[in-house]
Amino acid sequence: MPANQQQECPRRAGAAPQTGEPAQRDSRVAKQTQHRVLDLDMPRMLSAGTVALAVASAAVLMLAGCADFGHQSAPAVQRTAVSMGLPADQQTTAVDAQWWKQFGDAQLDALVAKALEGSPNLAAAQARVTRAQAVAEAVHGTELPQVQASGSVTRELLSRNGIFPPPYGGSVVNQSDLGLGLTWDADVFGRTRHELDAALGQARAARADANVAAQQLAAQVVRTYFSLARLESQRVVAQRTYDQRSQMLTLIKQRVGAGLDTVVEQKQGEGALPDTLAQIESLDEQIGLTRHMLAALTAQPMDATATLAPTLDQLHVSPQPPVLGADLVARRPDVAAALARVEAAGQEVASQRAQFYPDINFSAAIGLDAIHLDKLLQLPSKNWSFGPAIHLPIFEGGTLRAQLKGKNADRDAAIQAYNQQVIDAVREAADASTSAASIGRQLALQRQALEASTASYDFSQSRYGQGLGNALIVLNAETQMLSERRLEVDLEYRALDVQAQLMKALGGGWTAGTLATPPAAAASAPTTTAKNDNLTPA
C-alpha cells in the first residue's frame, strides 16, 4: 500500500492523527465542509444592519426612479344635462322596456321578438361584450400569483473545451430537470389595478353598446312596419281614387252619348286612369321593398313577409306630453356607454402614471436538476431560489411622458365624445317632443281640410250628375280631396313614427341593470294597450 494511502486510512476510519499538525488541518477542512453543507441546505441569514442598508438603498432608488411627469394638461370639462337646460328637480317620463306594444299590433310584437332573437348584429354586439369581459378577466388574472410547472429532458454532447472538464467534457449526458415556479407582481403603485378598472369600464361600455344595438333594431323594425302600413294605406287611397275615376268616366261616357258632354271631357276622364294605375304600381314596388327590409331585419327569408299588409287604422297610440329632466342622460344607453369610456380612459391615465414608479415583484422556484436521468429524483438533485426584484425608470428619453400625454389626449377625446352624446340625447328628446305635440295639431287641422274638400267633391259630383256643372270641376275637386287624403295618411304615419322616435329618445326603458339583449320571451309577453281613436284614419 502506498504511504499516502496508509496515512489517510486512519482518518477515514476515525482514528486519531499521529501529530497535532494534521489534526488542526483536518479540523479546518471539516469546518469548511460543514460551512459548504450549510450554504447548500439553507439560506444565509442577513444581519439587521444588512437589512436596514438594503431598505435604505431601495428607498433611495425608488425616489430616484420616479421619473418627472412633465407638463400635462388638465382634463376637459364634462357636460351635464343641467348645463343643457334640463331641470334637476324633474323626473323624465318613464318608458316601458317593450314600448312597441303600446301600438296594439300582435304582428308588430312578433316581428320585434324575431328581430331581437335572431339578428346577426345583436349577436356580434354580444360577442364584443364577451370579448371585453374576457380582457377584464385576463387583466384580473395578472393581479394574482402566477404558478408555472416545467420539465425537460435533453440528450447533449458536452464540449471538451467548454466549461465542463473531463470526464464530463466530451461525454454524452441526459440533462433533465423538473421545476415549479411562482411569480407575483406586488402592484404597489396600482398600475395593474388601474388597468383592471379600465378593462371593466370598457366591458361596461360594450354592454351598453349592445343595448344601444337592441334599441336601434327594435326601433328600426317598428318604424319600417309603420312605413309599410303607410304604403298600404296610401295604396287603399290610390285604389279608391281609381274606382272613383272609373265611375266618373262611365258617367262622362253616358253624358257624351246623350250629347251633354263633348269628347274633350271623355279624354280628360280617360287620361286620369293611367296616372292612377302608375301610382298604384309605384306603391306596390315600395311595398315589396319594405317587406324585404322587414324580412332582413327579422332574419327571415324574403318571402316570409310577402303577405304582410298592415294599415294605419289597425295601429293605435296614446301620446302623452313627455317630461324631460336631468336624469334623461342616465336613461340613455348610448350616453352610459360614452361615460363608461370616459371612466376607462381616466383609469388608463392613472395606470400610465404608475409606470413612472418602481415595479416590485417577487419570484420563487423549486425543482430538480441532474445531468443523469437516473439521478433526477434523488435528493441531491434539488435546487431552489427566491427573491424580490425592482425595476426603476431612471432615464427613458421622454418616452413615458409622451405616452402619458397620449393617454391624457385619449381621455379628453372620450370626454368630448361624451359631451357630444349628451348634446345629441337632449336634442333628440326635445325634437321628438316638439314634433309629437305639433303633429297632433297638424292632424286635427288636416282632418278639417279633408272634411271640407270631401264636401266640395260630393257637391260638385252631385251638380254634374244633375247637368249643372262640367267634368273639369269635378276632376279638380276630386284631385283636391285625394291630395288631402294622402296628407292625412302621411300625418297619421308621422304621428306613429314620431312616437317611436320619442320612446327611443327617452331611453327605450333602459336601466343600468338591463340585459344586453332583451329576451324574445319578454318581447312577446302580453301587455295592455292604450287606444286613441283620434289617430285612427277616417
Side-chain angles (χ1 to χ4, degrees):
M1 178 182 292
N4 59 346
Q5 291 185 9
Q6 292 177 356
Q7 293 175 0
E8 291 179 356
C9 287
R11 286 198 294 270
R12 290 179 180 176
Q18 297 293 330
T19 63
E21 178 73 38
Q24 294 178 1
R25 184 172 61 252
D26 289 346
S27 175
R28 288 195 297 269
V29 172
K31 289 181 180 180
Q32 292 174 358
T33 303
Q34 183 180 9
H35 288 167
R36 286 197 297 271
V37 172
L38 291 175
D39 288 343
L40 290 174
D41 289 345
M42 60 180 295
R44 179 174 297 174
M45 303 301 295
L46 298 178
S47 65
T50 304
V51 172
L53 179 60
V55 172
S57 301
V60 171
L61 288 173
M62 289 171 64
L63 292 175
C66 298
D68 182 18
F69 290 148
H71 175 70
Q72 302 293 333
S73 60
V77 178
Q78 289 183 221
R79 274 188 173 273
T80 62
V82 175
S83 69
M84 295 300 298
L86 297 183
D89 58 346
Q90 290 185 359
Q91 294 289 323
T92 302
T93 301
V95 176
D96 189 87
Q98 291 135 33
W99 52 267
W100 52 86
K101 293 189 175 182
Q102 66 182 285
F103 302 108
D105 192 314
Q107 287 186 126
L108 174 59
D109 298 343
L111 288 172
V112 174
K114 284 183 179 294
L116 295 178
E117 181 181 6
S119 170
N121 288 336
L122 287 190
Q126 190 60 46
R128 289 190 288 271
V129 173
T130 303
R131 181 183 182 278
Q133 291 173 341
V135 171
E137 292 172 2
V139 175
H140 175 62
T142 62
E143 288 187 317
L144 304 176
Q146 308 293 308
V147 179
Q148 306 88 21
S150 63
S152 66
V153 176
T154 304
R155 188 168 178 80
E156 181 180 0
L157 172 62
L158 300 179
S159 171
R160 289 182 178 273
N161 299 323
I163 61 174
F164 297 101
Y168 294 108
S171 64
V172 177
V173 297
N174 293 320
Q175 179 69 32
S176 57
D177 66 83
L178 289 174
L180 191 66
L182 181 144
T183 59
W184 178 57
D185 189 343
D187 195 30
V188 176
F189 297 98
R191 176 180 58 82
T192 304
R193 183 176 67 252
H194 290 306
E195 288 179 357
L196 176 59
D197 291 339
L200 291 173
Q202 293 294 348
R204 289 194 300 272
R207 286 194 294 270
D209 284 339
N211 281 279
V212 172
Q215 285 197 9
Q216 289 177 341
L217 178 61
Q220 193 173 3
V221 170
V222 171
R223 297 182 67 187
T224 304
Y225 188 82
F226 290 163
S227 179
L228 179 59
R230 168 186 168 274
L231 293 171
E232 291 285 356
S233 298
Q234 290 284 18
R235 195 188 188 287
V236 170
V237 173
Q239 186 63 49
R240 188 186 308 174
T241 301
Y242 179 79
D243 295 340
Q244 290 176 346
R245 288 181 175 179
S246 296
Q247 295 174 2
M248 185 66 184
L249 179 59
T250 300
L251 180 59
I252 290 174
K253 287 180 178 180
Q254 292 175 356
R255 288 175 59 86
V256 170
L260 299 176
D261 277 336
T262 65
V263 178
V264 175
E265 284 80 6
Q266 182 176 341
K267 293 299 182 182
Q268 289 175 341
E270 292 175 348
L273 293 180
D275 177 67
T276 306
L277 289 175
Q279 293 179 19
I280 293 174
E281 186 61 34
S282 176
L283 289 169
D284 286 341
E285 177 193 8
Q286 296 177 57
I287 288 171
L289 297 177
T290 306
R291 287 172 176 167
H292 292 167
M293 176 63 73
L294 278 174
L297 289 173
T298 55
Q300 298 185 87
M302 292 298 104
D303 58 354
T305 56
T307 60
L308 195 62
T311 56
L312 294 176
D313 57 358
Q314 71 187 62
L315 295 165
H316 312 288
V317 65
S318 176
Q320 298 177 356
V323 177
L324 301 182
D327 63 334
L328 171 67
V329 296
R331 299 173 182 264
R332 297 269 305 224
D334 49 355
V335 177
L339 180 59
R341 290 190 174 91
V342 170
E343 295 170 349
Q347 293 298 329
E348 289 177 356
V349 170
S351 177
Q352 185 61 42
R353 282 178 174 270
Q355 298 280 1
F356 286 77
Y357 298 103
D359 182 22
I360 303 174
N361 52 66
F362 298 89
S363 64
I366 186 171
L368 300 170
D369 189 4
I371 60 174
H372 292 291
L373 185 59
D374 57 345
K375 296 182 179 180
L376 177 64
L377 300 181
Q378 296 179 5
L379 186 60
S381 298
K382 70 178 182 298
N383 63 72
W384 54 261
S385 66
F386 70 90
I390 301 178
H391 303 278
L392 306 171
I394 296 177
F395 177 75
E396 31 67 42
T399 301
L400 290 179
R401 287 192 293 273
Q403 291 173 346
L404 178 59
K405 187 176 181 180
K407 292 297 183 181
N408 284 331
D410 291 341
R411 176 202 57 204
D412 291 344
I415 292 175
Q416 296 302 346
Y418 169 80
N419 291 341
Q420 187 61 52
Q421 199 67 59
V422 170
I423 294 172
D424 292 342
V426 175
R427 178 188 59 79
E428 289 174 7
D431 287 353
S433 177
T434 300
S435 295
S438 177
I439 289 173
R441 294 189 294 268
Q442 293 179 50
L443 192 55
L445 295 173
Q446 181 58 37
R447 283 175 175 159
Q448 294 178 14
L450 176 59
E451 183 179 356
S453 63
T454 301
S456 175
Y457 170 74
D458 292 341
F459 181 71
S460 62
Q461 189 178 38
S462 175
R463 283 176 55 81
Y464 182 73
Q466 297 173 7
L468 300 177
N470 57 52
L472 183 60
I473 295 176
V474 176
L475 291 174
N476 288 337
E478 180 196 43
T479 300
Q480 181 63 29
M481 179 191 66
L482 295 175
S483 176
E484 299 296 343
R485 280 183 180 174
R486 295 190 188 97
L487 289 175
E488 182 192 36
V489 168
D490 287 342
L491 284 174
E492 288 173 345
Y493 158 73
R494 282 202 63 204
L496 293 166
D497 187 65
V498 166
Q499 182 70 7
Q501 293 182 53
L502 180 60
M503 295 297 99
K504 180 178 176 294
L506 294 179
W510 178 84
T511 59
T514 302
L515 294 176
T517 304
S524 58
T527 187
T528 57
T529 300
K531 180 178 179 180
N532 186 350
D533 290 335
N534 291 332
L535 291 181
T536 303

